[in-house]
Every structure is written in structure tokens, then in C-alpha cells.
Amino acid sequence: MIFFFVLLFLVLAAQIAELFIPALPWLYDAHIYIVPVIVFYGAMALPFPLMLALALYAGVLLDALTVQVIGGKVEISAGSSILLYGVLAGIMHGLRPLFARGHWEVHAILSGVFTALIVLTQYLMITFRRGSLVFTREIWWQICGPGIAAMLVAPILFWLLQWIGQMTAYPYGPDRGRFE
Amino acid sequence: MGMSRTNIIALLIFGAVLGYFLSFGPSTTQKFKAGIYQLLAPFLTGGSGLKKQITSVRTGLKSLDQLEHENTALQVENTELRATNRGLRDVEHEVNRLRHALNYRERSVFKLMAAEIVARDSSSWWRTVTINRGKRDGIETDMPVVTDEGLVGKTTTVSEGISIVLLISDENCRVAASVEGSREQGIVSGQRVTTGLTPLLDLNFLSKQADLKPGQKVYTSGVGGVFPSGLLIGPVKAFRVRELDGQAQLTPAVDLSHLEDVFVVTGRR
């Protein structure tokens, strides 16, 4: 249970840190997102109810930062990030047996793919409101860049979170032989 | 294998909370956003201070390194003096910046509230910054934000001690504008995706005959009620004729990527 609260704290810290991490000018101003990687690790390491709680918490935070009310109109409605995190973390949770067998690379790749998917969904939602669906090279990089960055960061974060799990005597995980 | 009762209950609670959030209207959404930002305010202002300190130390180390390469025979006493000097230069820069801002506030015809930028938007699709002023400083939604160089944007979500400013480089920030030396009027808005350090703005709905020249200045026209007239938006970079209208590209007068201090226009003197 301590590990769950550590994850909650890390999600909050990462969400705030993201506000101070500048975009990458050499990657078409793509942003680095750490929160999804933490949430997706939580989806693998936590039991189903706690996974949903973590997705809910991260979704509320992301919603608070992304929803925009301009001229009395909501561009992305509150709850959309909760739904996104819930669905994606649920898929990740379903692939736990792979992680238990030591295939962490699948989850690292999926963390990147799902991070890009979050950005893509946001883009599709704003496009639905603003009109003119366009996909330029810059837009693809804005979508795929964060995914690639998440994919690269994932192995280090997974290792760190696994270590924190051991430190907090968290009983579930691939190295501890049990998941539920 | 079916789901356990605990899992089903968890899923139902998740669905109920999700439904609750999805039912939010614009005003509830804005209150929710303002509430979360207010909770995060201490971390945002603290993080901003920490970032400045780190940048300052990094800059200091860089110049020290350069000095070491230039002159390896520097004495310890000299190094200390140079470090002190550098510190004083930082203070001088800060004083100049604030004096500059203060002069602008005194000269301006508007009532201005000085604010510091504490955070920038981390999302890919919106251009916003967070400032350290809110309701308790008299800030309200849809107030113009400026610097002495020109228009920056407008406030959107305002909480007690912190506010979000939508930058003019955002596609959603639309400003009625007029072009100096012509009768042309149009609407300025940002672009959905910008690359490079300087974002460009689009000035739409011009007449096909507008034929604007690079360097011509574009100001707010005052139409629409949010932005008062006469605020500089930026100079024209290029003009092109489209099927139905003319469109100009503008370079923002304010360097939006290096903003530190801004003013919120709270009224006229």
C-alpha cells in the first residue's frame, strides 16, 4: 500500500515537473511526458482497483491542466483524460503476465505508443472542435516525439520504480513471483 | 474467469466518478481547473524559483569555465572578486528590467498589474503561461495581458492567487486588428502547431487588395471588447492572396518564448 501512495506522489511531482521541462526544439518542439510512464508501470504493478484509482488520479490532474474554457466553451471536456488513462492502463494491466515473464521491453514500447496515443487523442478532440483536420510533419512529430521520449525513458523509470517497490516491501511484481 | 466482486465495485466507482466529471459544464470545468491550480500554486511558484536558481548557477558555472580557459593563472582572490562582480551584474540586470517595467507602467494609459510568469504549458496543443496573480489582486477572466513591447494574450482561468494566460500564439486566441497606414482590418490568431523559437501569427479576413508590406505594424482595433485599441501585436512578415480573402503572417512584437514579467490590463486610468 505504501508503494501505491509513493506512486501517487510521483505522479503529482512528475506532473508539476513537466510544466518546467522545456520542449525539445530539435524535435519540432515535442514535449517530454513522464506521468504516463509512471501510470503505466502502476497499471502493471498494482492490483485492478488500485490501478483504476491511479488512472483516475492521474486523469484528474491531466484534465485540470489540459481542459481549456475559452469564451464560455469547453474545448476538451473534463473526464476525457480519466477515460483515456482508464482504458490504456486497463490494456496495460491485461498484459501483466508478459511482464511477469520478464518481457519488460513490450511494456516499455507500449508506454511510448500509449503516450503518443494520448497526444493524438487530444489533437483529434481539438480538431473536432476547431475544424480542418491536417497532419503535417510538425504535427506528427508533436504526436510521436513524446511517445519516443517516453519509450526511451521507460526502462530507466521501470527500473527505478521496481527498486522503490522493493524498498517499500511491495509484495507484487515480476521479481517477487506474485501479482495478485 | 470472471471478475471478482472488489474489481466490479472498483469499476463501478470509476465509472460513476468519470460520469460525474463528464457532466461538467463550462463554468464547473473552469471552477475545477481554477481549484486544482490553486492547490498546485505553492508548487508552481516554488518550482519557478528553483528553476531560476538552477539556471543562474548553470550560467555562472559556464562563464567561470570560460574564464578558466582564458586565464589559467587566476588567483583565488580574483575568482572571488569576479564571482561577486557577476552576482552584482545579475542584480543590475534585474534592476534594469524592473525599472524598465516600472517606467512602462507609469507611462501607460491603462491600469496595469505587474505579474511574474511561474510556469508554461506542458501540453502540445495549447500556448498558455501561468502568472502569480489572481482574484485577490483584482484579476478577472478575459483581461488583456501586455508588456512594454506589445500584446501577450488574455487571462482565461483565474483562481485566488494564480491565473492562466492564453498567449496570442494560440489558435484559440482571436484578436480584432487593424493595420497601420491602411484601412485594413482582420482577425489575428495563432497557428495550431509552431516550430522554431518564434511562433508566427495569422491575420485573416483582409481584402484581396490589401497588399501589405513586410514591416507594417498591426495593432488591436478594439472591436470585440476584450482588447483595447492601440496595442501593438506585431509587424507583418508576409502577405498572400487566398481564394476568398487576403492573409498576412505576423511576427509577434513580444518574444513569447522568453517572457519573464507581464502586465495585466485591469482598466483605464
Side-chain angles (χ1 to χ4, degrees), chain A residues 39-124:
Chain A
V39 174
F40 295 141
Y41 183 86
M44 291 183 297
L46 297 170
F48 186 74
L50 290 183
M51 177 277 285
L52 282 183
L54 184 69
L56 185 70
Y57 172 74
V60 167
L61 278 178
L62 185 61
D63 268 341
L65 298 175
T66 52
V67 292
Q68 300 289 338
V69 184
I70 296 152
K73 286 179 186 166
V74 184
E75 189 157 51
I76 288 189
S77 59
S80 51
S81 304
I82 300 174
L83 182 63
L84 255 178
Y85 267 133
V87 171
L88 296 177
I91 295 171
M92 203 66 126
H93 187 79
L95 295 170
R96 293 168 91 195
L98 267 179
F99 193 61
R101 286 202 290 270
H103 290 288
W104 60 268
E105 66 278 359
V106 177
H107 291 82
I109 293 167
L110 275 182
S111 291
V113 173
F114 286 177
T115 302
L117 210 56
I118 291 172
V119 186
L120 172 66
T121 311
Q122 287 176 345
Y123 179 69
L124 292 176

Side-chain angles (χ1 to χ4, degrees), chain B residues 84-102:
Chain B
T84 313
N85 240 343
R86 197 164 42 247
L88 285 170
R89 272 203 299 274
D90 284 350
V91 173
E92 190 186 8
H93 170 72
E94 187 82 3
V95 168
N96 282 341
R97 191 167 56 85
L98 293 173
R99 190 178 287 160
H100 196 59
L102 191 68

